[in-house]
Amino acid sequence: MTDQAPVAYTGPSRVLSGVQPSGALHLGNYLGALVKFTRLQHEIDTFIFVADLHAITVWQDPAALAQQTREIAAAYIASGLDPDKATIFPQSAVREHADLAWIFQCVARLGWLDRMTQFKEKSGKHKERSSVGLYTYPVLQAADILVYKATHVPVGEDQKQHLELTRDIAGKFNHDFNAPGYFPLPEPLIQGPGARVMSLRDGSAKMSKSDPSDYSRINLTDDADAIAAKIKKARTDPEPLPETIEELAARAEADNLVGIFAALAGKTKAEVLAEYAGKGFGTFKPALAELAVEKLSPVGEKMRGLLGDPAVLDAILAKGAEKAREAAAPTLAEVKKLVGFWGA
């Protein structure tokens, strides 16, 4: 007797992703995620949520969380997401996420979660003090994806392991409940250029909203003067820009700034070097600052306008939540029936 390949999912293609409302979005989020979401909405059925359930795995100020949710929604729209094309919604407004997560917690195995490296990194030496949610949130992430039967998920390096867990949960559910091909095994969408933007103060560290130095990042709400000042103060080295990608790779800060220029300009790093090789940062930084201001200032301006009218944002989020529930509810109803719950 030989093992047979699992039955493939045959439903429609759909992409899903989300960002936590746990701090101001920055250039790394913009290049690594938001511009990709904007492109995807024209290619595939797109669901983009504000991950407020994930955010509370660590303490969030209740007085600020709703406004932080609006800020993420404003960033989505200011970056080019169209609420009439993409479904934009708060995760907590669609109860099916949490309901399916509990069922998946009974499908996932403890050993699978024990292997999740991100929990070890986030909890450090004091994992006993971390919330249970921080430990189990990859299961909720699987529910986020599979409640919409999403077939594709944009991922960075730090989330690839979680997507593998989602595939494991989907496969085990399909097997355990005799539902071959019911859930898809989602495929990663590699984010491409601009997917990993590093700190402006340390080229070896990823740009982060939790960095205590505001000069380590360009926030999407920064105005033109702030953007230019942060580029001007970005850490570099004394050498002119090299001619080859290989030489550039050995210089973390220079590599980061060239990568930012390339992503903003829609070019490759090699094309940027072809123009600026042999030139110092006294020439390159002003050009980068001008480009960053050109690309990012309109985003910040639109964000500030949207945040000035929260009723508009709330209406967009409410409409998106209704649409998301319409997509998620049939999946949860079918899952309850497959599991054998009374009344399903």
Side-chain angles (χ1 to χ4, degrees), residues 228-249:
K230 289 178 178 182
I231 295 292
K232 181 180 179 180
K233 291 180 178 291
R235 184 175 176 180
T236 54
D237 56 49
E239 300 298 320
L241 287 172
E243 294 184 356
T244 67
I245 295 294
E246 291 73 22
E247 293 173 282
L248 184 67

Side-chain angles (χ1 to χ4, degrees), residues 203-286:
S204 66
K206 191 174 179 181
M207 187 175 285
S208 171
K209 54 193 172 186
S210 62
D211 193 307
S213 172
D214 194 54
Y215 276 87
S216 68
R217 60 187 170 270
I218 295 175
N219 302 305
L220 292 188
T221 51
D222 285 344
D223 60 22
D225 289 343
I227 293 169
K230 289 178 178 182
I231 295 292
K232 181 180 179 180
K233 291 180 178 291
R235 184 175 176 180
T236 54
D237 56 49
E239 300 298 320
L241 287 172
E243 294 184 356
T244 67
I245 295 294
E246 291 73 22
E247 293 173 282
L248 184 67
R251 297 166 56 185
E253 282 78 21
D255 187 36
N256 186 41
L257 294 184
V258 169
I260 291 171
F261 193 111
L264 287 172
K267 297 180 178 180
T268 65
K269 289 183 181 180
E271 288 172 329
V272 176
L273 290 182
E275 184 176 355
Y276 288 98
K279 296 178 181 178
F281 286 100
T283 299
F284 183 71
K285 277 187 174 182

Side-chain angles (χ1 to χ4, degrees), residues 130-169:
S130 298
S131 73
V132 174
L134 186 64
Y135 181 73
T136 63
Y137 94 86
V139 180
L140 174 58
Q141 201 168 53
D144 298 333
I145 296 165
L146 295 174
V147 78
Y148 302 103
K149 297 188 177 180
T151 53
H152 296 82
V153 182
V155 291
E157 288 295 327
D158 58 347
Q159 293 294 328
K160 283 184 178 179
Q161 192 181 36
H162 290 173
L163 187 59
E164 285 299 321
L165 178 72
T166 297
R167 292 168 58 89
D168 289 341
I169 290 172

